[in-house]
């Protein structure tokens, strides 16, 4: 049996190129003691993976050249040499970018396909969902009555941030997105109070029009001009949670920072970055609360599904371009 897997051949400079990667055929691994063999059904591609393609020191080790890359995946156990997991069980793990993976049982989380579609464990009920939940409620210290601005609001994380804020009693939720179609989605399906296409004019001007009374919380997925605009509209005691800065991930030169940081003194504002890995203690609470919202239909989600391992790389490029609505998923 052949196992197709994606390898990183060279470290991208600027925007990644197809020649930086290769789809390689390898033997399907045999699970060792304490391992299971998983046939992956759904793979995740996420913006943070761009950082792992660089050799720069970061919060997670870079991908190794000439070896298979990693990422979230959910699949079915097809062979087991481990207690607690049997053939036919479904698990969430971190050995994506491949069709089959031998996974230590300690690194596999059993999931229930009857409780929710398998793909949701990579998105709305997975790492991206917990990122939204922890970033808004803990890092940004959201409280009822806050006015919230979310950038990248039609993406997997941003769309959940806005909806959770509404469900928790936000006075106003504003989102930015990269197309008029996505703006319509934010307003008509996700229940945002206001939204704008950042390509249609200066972000600062559009934000002031959408939030004339300012904002109390900014959830940053973009950085750049969005961060500067948010600082400009921040109310006294406002909080900014920095989740990602996709606008600068492919820059070859350092991006200039916001020119209005001094305004944080006037507003007593706070900017704090966070990583979802620091907040897994919230997982049980998150699954219980958000799972209930998903089942009731109060929290809606979208997935952009790309078919086939051979299209895994193009799906990742699509995330960097902003092609996806909601979570980008590769179905095998």
């Amino acid at each position: 049996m052949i196992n197709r897997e994606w390898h990183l051949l060279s470290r991208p400079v600027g925007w990644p190129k197809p020649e930086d990667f290769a789809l390689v055929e390898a033997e399907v691994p045999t699970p060792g003691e304490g391992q299971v063999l998983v046939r992956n059904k759904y793979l995740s591609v996420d913006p943070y993976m761009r950082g792992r393609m660089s050799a720069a020191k970061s919060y997670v080790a870079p991908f190794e050249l000439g070896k298979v890359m990693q990422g979230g995946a959910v699949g079915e156990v097809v062979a087991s040499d481990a207690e607690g997991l049997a053939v036919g069980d479904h698990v969430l793990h971190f050995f994506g970018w491949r069709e089959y993976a031998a996974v230590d049982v300690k690194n596999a989380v059993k999931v229930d396909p009857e409780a929710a579609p398998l793909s949701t464990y990579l998105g709305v009920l997975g790492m991206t969902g917990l990122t939204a939940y922890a970033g808004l409620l803990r890092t940004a210290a959201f409280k009822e009555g806050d006015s919230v601005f979310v950038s990248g609001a039609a993406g997997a994380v941003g769309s959940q941030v806005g909806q959770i804020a509404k469900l928790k009693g936000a006075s106003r939720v504003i989102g930015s997105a990269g197309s008029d179609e996505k703006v319509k989605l934010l307003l008509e399906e996700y229940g945002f109070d206001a939204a704008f296409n950042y390509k249609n004019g200066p972000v600062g001007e559009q934000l002031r029009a959408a939030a004339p009374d300012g904002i109390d919380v900014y959830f940053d997925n973009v950085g750049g001009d969005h961060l500067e605009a948010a600082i400009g509209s921040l109310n006294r005691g406002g909080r900014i949670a920095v989740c990602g800065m996709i606008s600068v991930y492919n820059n070859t030169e350092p991006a200039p920072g916001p020119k209005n940081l001094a305004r944080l003194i006037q507003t007593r504002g706070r900017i704090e970055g966070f990583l979802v890995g620091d907040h897994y203690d919230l997982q049980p609470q998150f699954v219980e609360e958000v799972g209930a919202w998903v089942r009731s239909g109060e929290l809606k989600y979208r997935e952009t599904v790309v078919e086939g391992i051979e299209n895994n790389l193009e799906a990742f490029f699509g995330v960097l371009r902003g092609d996806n609505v909601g979570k980008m998923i590769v179905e095998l």
Side-chain angles (χ1 to χ4, degrees):
M1 295 174 63
I2 298 299
N3 185 25
R4 290 182 294 173
E5 53 188 39
W6 281 97
H7 289 205
L8 181 66
L9 299 184
S10 57
R11 302 206 180 277
V13 177
W15 278 85
K17 303 179 293 297
E19 51 266 34
D20 294 323
F21 309 85
L23 182 59
V24 175
E25 291 187 349
E27 291 186 4
V28 173
T30 300
E33 184 178 355
Q35 289 189 324
V36 291
L37 178 64
V38 181
R39 179 171 63 85
N40 289 330
K41 291 189 172 183
Y42 295 95
L43 307 177
S44 178
V45 286
D46 303 279
Y48 81 87
M49 293 175 175
R50 176 61 185 88
R52 296 197 68 186
M53 294 171 188
S54 167
K57 187 176 181 180
S58 185
Y59 60 89
V60 63
F63 293 134
E64 295 184 60
L65 293 179
K67 294 188 177 181
V68 62
M69 295 184 289
Q70 298 174 339
V74 64
E76 181 181 358
V77 175
V78 294
S80 176
D81 192 8
E83 293 184 9
L85 288 175
V87 172
D89 286 341
H90 292 83
V91 295
L92 172 69
H93 61 90
F94 205 67
F95 296 92
W97 289 84
R98 71 199 82 185
E99 292 176 306
Y100 290 86
V103 183
D104 290 342
V105 67
K106 65 181 180 181
N107 295 326
V109 178
K110 189 175 179 179
V111 296
D112 184 0
E114 299 298 324
L118 284 175
S119 59
T120 62
Y121 293 105
L122 296 176
V124 65
L125 295 178
M127 184 177 70
T128 52
L130 181 59
T131 299
Y133 190 85
L136 177 68
L137 301 182
R138 177 174 282 173
T139 306
F142 170 85
K143 59 184 184 295
E144 186 177 355
D146 280 344
S147 176
V148 178
F149 172 43
V150 187
S151 59
V157 174
S159 59
Q160 236 169 304
V161 171
Q163 291 183 83
I164 292 172
K166 290 291 291 183
L167 288 164
K168 290 284 191 180
S171 61
R172 189 168 179 80
V173 174
I174 306 100
S176 72
S179 73
D180 293 341
E181 180 184 8
K182 290 181 178 180
V183 167
K184 183 178 180 181
L185 175 70
L186 295 178
L187 296 172
E188 297 182 1
E189 185 167 330
Y190 294 151
F192 282 57
D193 298 292
F196 59 86
N197 182 346
Y198 67 83
K199 297 177 182 177
N200 288 346
V203 175
E205 293 179 9
Q206 295 195 78
L207 178 57
R208 283 191 293 274
D213 296 324
I215 60 172
D216 303 298
V217 168
Y218 171 47
F219 193 102
D220 190 15
N221 291 305
V222 174
D225 55 356
H226 280 74
L227 178 56
E228 186 167 301
I231 293 171
S233 287
L234 205 62
N235 291 330
R236 180 169 175 170
R239 291 88 65 204
I240 295 174
V242 180
C243 174
M245 293 191 173
I246 198 169
S247 69
V248 303
Y249 286 171
N250 294 308
N251 288 3
T252 56
E253 298 293 335
K259 297 188 292 290
N260 58 348
L261 282 173
R263 194 169 186 277
L264 293 173
I265 303 170
Q266 172 190 344
T267 62
R268 291 76 154 176
R270 172 171 63 83
I271 301 178
E272 183 178 347
F274 74 99
L275 294 173
V276 66
D278 296 333
H279 302 282
Y280 279 118
D281 62 296
L282 291 176
Q283 181 82 15
Q285 174 184 324
F286 157 72
V287 171
E288 180 180 356
E289 189 166 26
V290 175
W293 287 333
V294 171
R295 287 190 295 273
S296 69
E298 293 174 276
L299 193 149
K300 298 174 175 60
Y301 68 94
R302 290 280 194 99
E303 294 174 342
T304 299
V305 180
V306 173
E307 300 283 345
I309 186 73
E310 65 276 8
N311 294 314
N312 209 101
L313 182 61
E314 183 54 34
F316 171 68
F317 288 166
V319 169
L320 296 182
R321 292 191 299 261
D323 295 350
N324 55 304
V325 176
K327 184 74 182 76
M328 182 70 90
I329 298 284
V330 179
E331 183 175 7
L332 305 187

